[in-house]
Amino acid sequence: MAPPTAIDVSIEGVTDTQAIVIPNPLTTESVAGRRLKAPKMSGGVAAWASSDMWKTPYPNKAKAKRWDYRLSLESKSRMGSSLKGATKYLKVPGKSPFRRISFGRESSLRGLVGLISLGGGLPSSENFPFERMDIKVPVPPHFSEEDTKVSGVVSTTGKYDVSEGKSLHDISIAFNYGQAMGSGQLLRFVTEHTEIVHNPPYQDWQCSITVGSTSSLDMAFRMFCERGDYILSEEYTFATAVETAAPMGIKTIGVKMDEQGLIPASMDEILSNWDEQKRGAKKPFVLYTVPSGQNPTGATQGEQRRRDIYRCAQKHDLYILEDEPYFFLQMQPYTGPGAPPVPAPKSHSEFIKALIPSLLSMDVDGRVMRMDSFSKVIAPGTRCGWITASEQIVERYHRHHEVSMQNPSGPSQLILFKLLDETWGHAGYLDWLMHIRLEYTKRRDNICYACERYLPAEVASWNPPAAGMFHWVKIDWTKHPHAKTKTMLEIEDEIFHAGIDRGVLSCKGSWFRAEADGGVDMFFRMTFAAAPRDKLTEAVRRFGDALKASFEIQG
């Protein structure tokens, strides 16, 4: 039987009493009503939580396929933390199973005749040297630094806000131990956000808070791969992904790319012609990909490209690791210097509709683990993000997480909860994402303007990035005066150091090769994320001077 296709999901509410009632898709406007029907938020220390507590039940959706035959021996061997498992007994007798004792103050336990814990090594919050935490944040849509100074609001968190009925989260809970899936307070928000934006087309998907996508990738490799295995990725890829896999004995094979990133026909060719004897390894079944604003190339897979990649994954039964830190940095089309900009989306629904659909939103099989991050859209120092995958895969992820990271940072989750849930809400967060994509559009435009002005067109070329924070410049090294006597890598190094000598740092394209062969083409990666406009323009001018000097170009 042929596998299901990567379908276009467009679900409408059904009111016919003769049919199964299919709920309407979750929106920012319907979140409040949904929450009223959900179980009461658990407010205690190390409280267990699950996306199932807040997801829309879709009885018409199929369940994900099982991946037992793809899991590594390490993953299959993990039995879970016995200490973490004991927290299920921390419930107040006779109350809702979602209410647990908060070990904040002695007064919070007075009058209880139920369980008194002498089991877990949970420190008393009386000994936490923190009484209050204040953060000043912008009020949508006034997001600039100046606006925040003038009209921003101060979000205050006390030590015992939960027991005092002031909030769903506080210092006594967040600064103590937690569960592998993260705090229910933040997990609820990212689960709702995932449903609003992606609405995965299978039934048993789950989210789990992470300590960032690099950690998630490390655990995913451990869950699926054995020493000696190959994984697939773009031919130029996130260097840390290769460096994470290599010590585990996992090799990376690069799939050819074009201006839209990974080419599915190239991946199909690699897999269809895989020779286990020649390669000394079984056929790869894990694909690591960055579909939007790919690091380092800035390439963004179009909707049809993503569907073709998914169908190729179905054909060869691949499991996809969808790394998407730049998904919401999908920018306005580049129109060039002096041209009027394309009008930006004006509403939340227009914004979401303008985003290229994710692989997760096409995943009818449950063969995608999506890795989301707050690093590029809020702050990288939070070291906080989340994964979305099938229930089976998330459960295995928890078994790895709870005996390594234990739980995501409590203070980071508390700060994000206060910002995203209590202050902004889903509508405010989408306002922020709409704002920041326009900020990156301006930065992208500025670096492209500077490249058009200062880089020698006879040797340098590029495609304006459609997402992310990286500009990928191709250098025709065959026109170099020493092309016949020096290798590509030697000329690349010469240009790199010529830039350093002139006061600009860029990244060699060879650093990002999935396979350690250097490749045949020369690229340099520039980021437009941090430098102010004037410094960005000056940096490009200096790099242009370095190119002209190396290629002996006059003018």
Side-chain angles (χ1 to χ4, degrees), residues 298 331 333-335 444-445 448 452 462-467 470-472:
M331 296 173 281
Y334 180 70
T335 55
R444 185 275 316 275
D445 290 351
C448 287
E452 290 175 18
W462 59 89
N463 291 307
F470 302 114
H471 189 46
W472 189 241

Side-chain angles (χ1 to χ4, degrees), residues 89 113 155 165 202 229 246 266 275 290 305 309 314 353 362 392 407 424 443 473 499 504 517 520 526 535 540 554:
Y89 298 106
V113 294
S155 176
Y202 64 96
D229 282 355
S266 172
D275 187 329
V290 183
R305 176 63 58 91
I309 289 170
Q314 288 182 310
K353 188 175 180 180
M362 306 172 184
Q392 179 196 18
N407 56 268
W424 285 355
R443 290 179 172 275
V473 179
V504 61
D517 57 4
V520 296
M526 304 175 182
K535 293 188 180 298
V540 173
Q554 301 300 315

Side-chain angles (χ1 to χ4, degrees), residues 41-42 47-50 54 181-189 413:
M41 175 69 67
S42 173
W48 181 89
S50 165
W54 304 292
M181 74 286 297
S183 69
Q185 292 88 340
L186 187 59
L187 181 63
R188 177 179 69 175
F189 186 89
Q413 292 182 86

Side-chain angles (χ1 to χ4, degrees), residues 248-268:
M248 301 181 198
I250 302 168
K251 304 170 188 176
T252 308
I253 186 163
V255 180
K256 291 187 184 302
M257 305 175 69
D258 61 14
E259 68 280 358
Q260 286 195 52
L262 186 147
I263 301 173
S266 172
M267 182 165 68
D268 181 55

